[in-house]
Amino acid sequence: MRITSRVLALVAGLLAFGAVQPAKSQTADPARALVERVTEATLDNGLRVLLVEDHSAPVIAFNLMFGVGGLDEPAGLGGIAHMVEHMAFKGTTTIGTDQPLLEQQALAAVEVRALALAHVRDGGSPEEVAAAEEAFAAAQQRAQSLALPSALDSLLSSAGAVGLNASTGYDRTAYVVELPANQLELYARVYADVLRDTVFRYFYAERDVVRQERRQRSEDDPQGFLFEAFQDAAYVRHPYGRSLIGDAETIESYRATEAKAFFEAFYHPGQAVLVLVGDVQPETDLPLLERYFGTIPAGTPPRVRLPSEPPQKEERRVTVDYDAQPQIVIGWHKPTYPEREAFVLDLISALLSDGRTSRLYRRMVVEDGLALNVTTSSAFPGVREPNLFIFYGQPRSPNGPAQLEAALYEELERLRSEPVGDEELDKVKNRVVASTVRALSSNSGLAAALAFNELFAGGWERLMLDLEIYQSVTAEEIRTVARKVFRPENRTVGVLLPSPGQAAEVRR
Amino acid sequence: MRATEVSVPGTKRSRYEAIRRRRLGRPSLLLLALLLVAGQALAQPAPDEWPHPLELQPPPIDYEPPEARQERLSNGITVFLLEDRTLPLVQGVAYVEAPALYDPEGKVGLAALTAAMLREGGAGELSPAELDIRLEQLAASVEASADTYLASVGFDTLSSTLDEVMPLWRDVLVQPRFDPDRLEVRRQRQLEAIRRVVDDPVQLALREFFYRVAEGHPTGAYPTLESINAITREDIVEFHRSYYGPANTAIAVAGDFDSDEMLARLEQLLGDWRVEVNPPPPIPPLDEEPDGTVYLAPKQMSQSVVVIGHPAVLAYSPAYNDLDVANHILGGGGFTSRLFEEIRTRRGLAYATASVVTQGFEYPGTFVAYSISPAQATHQVISLILEEIERLQSQPVDPAELSLAQETILNQSLFRYDSAAAIAQRSARVSLLGLEPDYYERYLDNLQQITAEEIQRVAREELHPQEAVIMVVGDPELFGGSLEDFGEVVTIDLE
């Protein structure tokens, strides 16, 4: 294990860049316990560990983040990263059953029956299908009878866990929880076990859960429905255009063996960062973490070659009919971090839609009354790869998407032709810095930001460097980048229009 | 809950690039079974020298949670202050008894609109646009809102700009301008938001459910196009004059400040606020007798939203404490609760299912169980929820299940004290809502004493599955059974 420890005025450093009126002797005031102590270690198997001390309450926020997500999925297995994320809560050999050998056999039988069912569905008679379904259900029931449902959840919950959760993005998968500080060993025992030995029990019931999740997010939700069509149109080759949760047919055909193979191939300690923020004691906690996480074998994930997206040559438009009020989303291809343009576009996004004095809010929501809400995002749907700048708006009746679109293009033209004034630029920089600081003010927010920067920005210290970059952006740069990105031929427009009575047909 | 990261995950449709479905291979089933067993053997069960998780003995935590300092301004406002010097930030909020509960008939939405306009309509010397600019220059925020029981007007700022931000916050609370043009902007946006409620099946189901559970009572009322259009600027001015005053207000401030200085600052800003407030408007009692009616809002969807419940108990009553533990076991305890385990984990019939007992002050809170499930399983899921409620009534809970609930609630209580702002704000709300200051401590004491018999008793006395209101949003052609099985069905016209 390699350990480096350093004292650094992390948050104080951030604040020094910010604020219109610089704080009076902020760093000098000894009452301000701003100096955070970050201890960094790398275990022999490649797992990076960051500990941040904050002893104000006896609690710790944990974030175990893998640089693995939807981008790494093989063709035909869309959404499997998210499915695997769900399975990480199903326990291990020692957590989740009293009879591991019997259960292992029962789970193998489930897998055999699942495969047999898939075979007969592919051309078998109705009687054969019914028989195979029955056998599959019986095998599942047998396996469930040997399992202790929610064993892992119960262990952590009864220890006082809050916010026990996980999320999958295109770029990464994160497992998060907050626990009382005296439960650090329990955390290590449970999560190291999960990484070594996840048992894929309840797989087929969980597959149905994911199918329900997809319905809830992407089928019965108009915004989710529109965004599917939009991303699909915005990308022709790159996986940012495909479904993160997976399409319905793919989800319905997942098998436990495939999911487990994906898990074993990708989720190695060298792909992960473990961040603890809170009442930690590095001298005693690091050896404890190493005792458990250090036993996970190192591994090399397969190389994933992502297709590059060809430059967009003409505007694309997609219209979906859905029984709901209209919405519009527009996206432009752009570079990602660490390209300087990506930072410039972060500021442009804040300039356009962050706060009541932002240009689009003021114009579309307040002055012209065109919209209920407008938002922009400068990094959609991920950051590992070149991504999109997007605008999303909900028109206010009697206006429709066309009015929003026209007003937006006028505002973008203004960005391209007039330099932003000093006062407005300063305001935007201050807002970006202030919102960064606020995001770091909770243990869990700080843990997530450090993990993300460590994985994708070239080191957690980038948190501070990035703020320096924002401070250095000029009005001329904003104009140059706006000219380069906001070209008509570089955009994709997605519109959702109400179509009462026809919705069901269109939606199937 | 175990969410995908983006809020709007897209799906690759076959328009540009069909994802080829995998053709099934033809391996020998026997061979595959052997491979699987062998594969399992390759996994690495926990080493023998690792303790079983249940054998771990965590060291005790010795922690005295901080308490907010309680003071009184000369005009009677109760103030709760809690210093936290971790970051140079300060958060403050004034809670005011000017809630949605006070909305007059025909003008539902007045309290919320008044709160929104405090901030959006300009204040003191500043026009709406000037106030927006000033706060954004300061990288600070002032925001206001109102819910059923309280309105709140809060600020969030760097401590270095406290002296600039707090007077703005004071003006928003005390001297709002209610600019007429901004009122129209807010009104038109709210009308648009109301038009869009039916697009969100969960929001729609909850709105209709709470309306039916408390039919005719302001706790279940919701704003409509008509009620929002009926509200005038004079109504807003009058509502503010009637219910915003020192006698109705408690303040919480937490963060990077010196408490003595903060107290002096508050006295200087608000000590001369001396307006008299009106007594609360007359509010009818809440009819507590649901009759088991099933309400159906037809909507073409692949899932149904099912909401089942009824009025429960007052937050002050001893039964609330027992009912909260019973509900934790039934559906409030997340992944380990019965509804979650039965409907989601074992059967895969929902991504989201749970139950809640809301806290009711003056009027009883509500017991609510819900599930978002495949349309074809609507009938089945309603039955499952009702059966789980009835099981809690007919059988005592298992001792292991009870202690899991007790340990979970007790150990999680530590997180009630991990944010200074949360501690101070809770104290301020408790003081206004008339709860005893040691309300929560008594709740934890009760939790540790509670028996399986008491859980069963409270479930029998306070849960009423037969009489519960059942609200369903979904496509009735797909329900997999008749809703008539559960009671008289009333169809709600969404147009």
Side-chain angles (χ1 to χ4, degrees):
Chain A
M1 181 169 59
R2 178 167 51 81
I3 300 180
T4 47
S5 183
R6 48 184 132 169
V7 175
L8 117 154
L10 176 61
V11 180
L14 294 179
L15 289 161
F17 295 119
V20 194
Q21 291 125 330
K24 304 140 195 161
S25 67
Q26 223 153 55
T27 49
D29 186 343
R32 293 169 201 279
L34 292 178
V35 177
E36 302 280 345
R37 197 178 160 81
V38 177
T39 304
E40 242 181 319
T42 305
L43 306 188
D44 293 340
N45 58 14
L47 179 69
R48 285 164 280 176
V49 182
L50 299 175
L51 304 181
V52 186
E53 289 181 68
D54 172 1
H55 301 291
S56 55
V59 296
I60 302 173
F62 297 85
N63 192 316
L64 175 62
M65 193 182 283
F66 285 86
V68 178
L71 289 184
D72 303 293
E73 293 162 349
L77 271 181
I80 201 73
H82 172 246
M83 183 70 209
V84 161
E85 174 232 296
H86 276 238
M87 293 314 294
F89 290 86
K90 297 299 181 187
T92 65
T93 302
T94 52
I95 303 171
T97 183
D98 292 332
Q99 301 173 81
L101 284 174
L102 286 179
E103 191 199 33
Q104 195 176 313
Q105 289 166 3
L107 289 171
V110 169
E111 204 54 20
V112 170
R113 295 301 177 187
L115 189 65
L117 177 60
H119 273 294
V120 297
R121 278 202 178 134
D122 208 23
S125 70
E127 294 76 28
E128 284 173 323
V129 171
E133 276 174 350
E134 200 176 315
F136 177 54
Q140 278 185 279
Q141 209 157 31
R142 162 76 183 152
Q144 286 199 11
S145 73
L146 295 162
L148 308 167
S150 320
L152 186 148
D153 300 309
S154 302
L155 266 178
L156 295 170
S157 295
S158 60
V162 299
L164 173 59
N165 213 334
S167 65
T168 306
Y170 286 91
D171 299 332
R172 94 291 178 281
T173 306
Y175 296 93
V176 299
V177 67
E178 292 184 67
L179 281 164
N182 62 345
Q183 301 289 356
L184 184 130
E185 185 170 7
L186 176 71
Y187 176 88
R189 167 67 179 81
V190 169
Y191 280 80
D193 200 7
V194 167
L195 293 186
R196 293 163 49 101
D197 179 38
T198 287
V199 173
F200 280 44
R201 52 173 72 94
Y202 289 104
F203 180 85
Y204 294 94
E206 199 63 27
R207 188 178 74 177
D208 292 343
V209 170
V210 170
R211 181 70 189 91
Q212 295 315 315
E213 184 178 354
R214 182 190 149 70
R215 287 200 165 103
Q216 200 174 317
R217 291 176 186 280
S218 308
E219 294 174 23
D220 288 346
D221 178 69
Q223 192 188 11
F225 190 80
L226 171 62
F227 269 69
E228 284 192 343
F230 164 73
Q231 275 173 268
D232 180 56
Y235 288 95
V236 238
R237 297 186 64 209
H238 193 274
Y240 275 156
R242 77 186 177 205
S243 171
L244 182 55
I245 197 166
D247 61 41
E249 297 76 19
T250 305
I251 292 170
E252 285 165 9
S253 65
Y254 291 153
R255 289 203 305 274
T257 31
E258 299 166 332
K260 198 165 168 62
F262 183 77
F263 180 72
E264 285 171 355
F266 281 93
Y267 294 76
H268 300 302
Q271 301 299 106
V273 181
L274 172 61
V275 186
L276 284 68
V277 181
D279 191 12
V280 291
Q281 313 285 350
E283 314 75 50
T284 50
D285 291 347
L286 265 179
L288 203 56
L289 293 170
E290 194 189 18
R291 177 183 174 198
Y292 293 98
F293 285 99
T295 67
I296 303 164
T300 313
R303 280 183 89 84
V304 176
R305 291 174 58 94
L306 295 174
S308 59
E309 183 68 17
Q312 190 169 335
K313 297 281 178 44
E314 57 182 10
E315 184 196 81
R316 299 178 195 145
R317 297 190 82 89
V318 53
T319 302
V320 301
D321 296 324
Y322 197 104
D323 185 11
Q325 298 296 313
Q327 317 183 358
I328 179 167
V329 54
I330 306 176
W332 294 261
H333 290 280
K334 60 171 269 287
T336 188
Y337 314 110
E339 296 284 326
R340 193 171 164 86
E341 285 171 21
F343 294 93
V344 176
L345 283 156
D346 289 346
L347 290 183
I348 291 178
S349 179
L351 185 79
L352 290 176
S353 73
D354 184 18
R356 286 185 167 92
T357 67
S358 63
R359 291 184 177 187
L360 298 185
Y361 183 90
R362 214 172 53 212
R363 169 156 186 193
M364 294 190 188
V365 177
V366 179
E367 286 167 12
D368 294 355
L370 301 175
L372 168 60
N373 280 314
V374 292
T375 53
T376 57
S377 165
S378 47
F380 181 87
V383 304
R384 243 164 84 183
E385 294 276 301
N387 48 16
L388 300 173
F389 183 103
I390 62 166
F391 164 87
Y392 172 75
Q394 296 167 304
R396 202 177 93 184
S397 174
N399 297 289
Q403 282 78 18
L404 266 61
E405 201 180 343
L408 174 67
Y409 295 159
E410 281 179 28
E411 288 300 326
L412 295 180
E413 187 49 44
R414 223 180 110 201
L415 268 185
R416 293 155 54 104
S417 54
E418 298 168 22
V420 178
D422 290 344
E423 204 174 317
E424 192 180 13
L425 188 55
D426 283 345
K427 178 201 78 177
V428 165
K429 290 176 179 177
N430 284 325
R431 282 187 72 87
V432 169
V433 173
S435 66
T436 307
V437 173
R438 289 203 168 91
L440 304 180
S441 67
S442 72
N443 288 348
S444 55
L446 182 55
L450 291 173
F452 195 84
N453 277 272
E454 179 65 24
L455 280 175
F456 300 114
W460 58 268
E461 309 91 325
R462 289 290 306 197
L463 265 181
M464 296 165 67
L465 207 56
D466 289 356
L467 292 168
E468 278 179 33
I469 296 176
Y470 291 128
Q471 293 298 337
S472 71
V473 170
T474 64
E476 193 46 42
E477 262 182 300
I478 287 183
R479 202 151 65 124
T480 310
V481 172
R483 281 181 179 160
K484 187 172 160 194
V485 173
F486 300 121
R487 288 171 292 117
E489 65 272 23
N490 187 36
R491 76 185 172 221
T492 302
V493 182
V495 175
L496 181 144
L497 291 171
S499 172
Q502 294 172 24
E505 287 166 49
V506 179
R507 289 168 58 189
R508 281 289 78 83
Chain B
M1 291 202 290
R2 289 171 198 180
T4 47
E5 181 198 15
V6 292
S7 58
V8 280
T11 282
K12 196 82 188 173
R13 295 261 146 177
S14 53
R15 196 168 305 113
Y16 292 100
E17 180 193 28
I19 291 179
R20 286 177 193 285
R21 292 201 51 198
R22 285 153 297 124
R23 293 296 303 165
L24 292 165
R26 300 277 168 194
S28 141
L29 293 186
L30 179 65
L31 178 65
L32 187 79
L34 289 171
L35 283 173
L36 276 166
V37 174
Q40 291 280 342
L42 289 175
Q44 304 200 23
D48 292 340
E49 64 270 22
W50 283 13
H52 190 274
L54 290 174
E55 290 162 8
L56 290 172
Q57 292 180 335
I61 283 185
D62 182 21
Y63 179 57
E64 187 75 36
E67 271 184 51
R69 173 174 156 192
Q70 184 174 348
E71 297 287 351
R72 241 177 144 73
L73 302 186
S74 63
N75 59 358
I77 295 180
T78 310
V79 174
F80 295 87
L81 304 174
L82 187 51
E83 294 178 19
D84 171 11
R85 305 301 187 108
T86 320
L87 288 173
L89 299 170
V90 181
Q91 284 175 281
V93 56
Y95 292 104
V96 186
E97 286 181 278
L101 205 55
Y102 293 3
D103 283 345
E105 213 178 323
K107 299 199 174 183
V108 176
L110 176 57
L113 199 52
T114 302
M117 290 312 297
L118 290 176
R119 168 62 185 87
E120 291 183 7
E125 302 291 304
L126 301 181
S127 71
E130 287 165 345
L131 180 60
D132 291 346
I133 291 168
R134 188 76 193 113
L135 282 166
E136 293 197 359
Q137 280 171 342
L138 292 164
S141 74
V142 170
E143 293 299 334
S145 63
D147 63 20
T148 307
Y149 289 103
L150 292 174
S152 60
V153 183
F155 68 87
D156 188 339
T157 179
L158 289 166
S159 42
S160 55
T161 50
L162 202 51
D163 288 328
E164 287 81 20
V165 173
M166 282 187 68
L168 299 174
W169 165 71
R170 181 256 179 214
D171 287 348
V172 165
L173 176 66
V174 175
Q175 287 191 305
R177 291 167 53 155
F178 298 128
D179 176 84
D181 291 341
R182 289 293 182 109
L183 171 59
E184 285 319 301
V185 171
R186 166 53 67 165
R187 186 199 308 278
Q188 294 303 325
R189 291 179 71 203
Q190 176 133 22
L191 295 174
E192 183 62 38
I194 291 169
R195 281 191 284 272
R196 287 173 182 266
V197 167
V198 287
D199 297 348
D200 179 340
V202 175
Q203 210 191 336
L204 173 66
L206 290 174
R207 185 186 80 177
E208 294 295 325
F209 169 80
F210 279 102
Y211 176 69
R212 309 288 155 177
V213 158
E215 197 134 13
H217 194 270
T219 54
Y222 61 83
T224 62
L225 301 179
E226 294 71 33
S227 76
I228 293 300
N229 273 321
I231 295 169
T232 65
R233 183 174 178 277
E234 288 65 44
D235 292 329
I236 290 173
V237 170
E238 181 58 21
F239 192 86
H240 179 257
R241 196 208 58 71
S242 300
Y243 302 117
Y244 281 74
N248 266 7
T249 298
I251 291 174
V253 190
D256 179 31
F257 55 78
D258 173 88
S259 291
D260 291 334
E261 284 174 25
M262 179 54 74
L263 191 62
R265 206 183 261 118
L266 287 166
E267 179 61 38
Q268 184 244 321
L269 284 172
L270 288 166
D272 63 352
W273 189 31
R274 302 259 168 187
V275 297
E276 294 286 320
V277 296
N278 290 4
I283 295 173
L286 174 54
D287 175 10
E288 279 188 64
E289 288 171 14
D291 56 3
T293 305
V294 181
Y295 294 95
L296 166 65
K299 186 168 164 64
Q300 280 192 338
M301 304 196 306
S302 68
Q303 292 186 305
S304 293
V305 182
V306 170
V307 184
I308 299 178
H310 51 72
V313 295
L314 288 166
Y316 319 103
S317 89
Y320 178 82
N321 292 339
D322 291 351
L323 186 59
D324 190 67
V325 183
N327 180 65
H328 183 97
I329 292 168
L330 175 68
F335 302 106
T336 60
S337 71
R338 289 181 176 186
L339 290 177
F340 195 97
E341 223 168 80
E342 192 57 37
I343 294 176
R344 177 168 154 160
T345 306
R346 289 183 198 275
R347 298 175 190 263
L349 285 177
Y351 173 63
T353 180
S355 68
V356 181
V357 183
T358 66
Q359 278 192 312
F361 305 94
E362 298 172 57
Y363 305 95
T366 309
F367 164 74
V368 194
Y370 67 88
S371 184
I372 306 171
S373 292
Q376 291 78 4
T378 305
H379 190 277
Q380 182 188 5
V381 162
I382 294 172
S383 299
L384 285 170
I385 292 173
L386 295 174
E387 281 165 22
E388 286 301 332
I389 299 169
E390 282 159 7
R391 186 156 74 91
L392 203 61
Q393 297 177 316
S394 61
Q395 297 168 24
V397 295
D398 185 77
E401 202 177 12
L402 177 56
S403 60
L404 170 65
Q406 288 169 312
E407 281 173 39
T408 300
I409 298 171
L410 194 63
N411 287 327
Q412 286 176 340
S413 69
L414 199 54
F415 288 92
R416 291 172 63 85
Y417 305 103
D418 74 339
S419 143
I423 294 171
Q425 289 169 13
R426 201 161 46 231
S427 300
R429 282 198 306 270
V430 160
S431 81
L432 270 189
L433 292 168
L435 293 171
E436 298 294 321
D438 64 346
Y439 174 78
Y440 191 70
E441 286 66 31
R442 293 212 310 242
Y443 167 82
L444 290 183
D445 284 344
N446 180 71
L447 169 77
Q448 294 171 71
Q449 314 293 334
I450 198 169
T451 63
E453 290 70 37
E454 285 166 324
I455 301 272
Q456 193 177 357
R457 188 190 320 136
V458 81
R460 280 183 177 161
E461 288 173 2
E462 304 298 345
L463 297 180
H464 312 290
Q466 295 308 317
E467 290 83 40
V469 166
I470 300 177
M471 177 74 223
V472 182
V473 175
D475 184 346
E477 294 190 10
L478 306 174
F479 285 170
S482 170
L483 294 183
E484 305 278 350
D485 296 345
F486 305 107
E488 186 199 343
V489 178
V490 174
T491 301
I492 297 170
D493 184 5
L494 292 177
E495 295 310 313

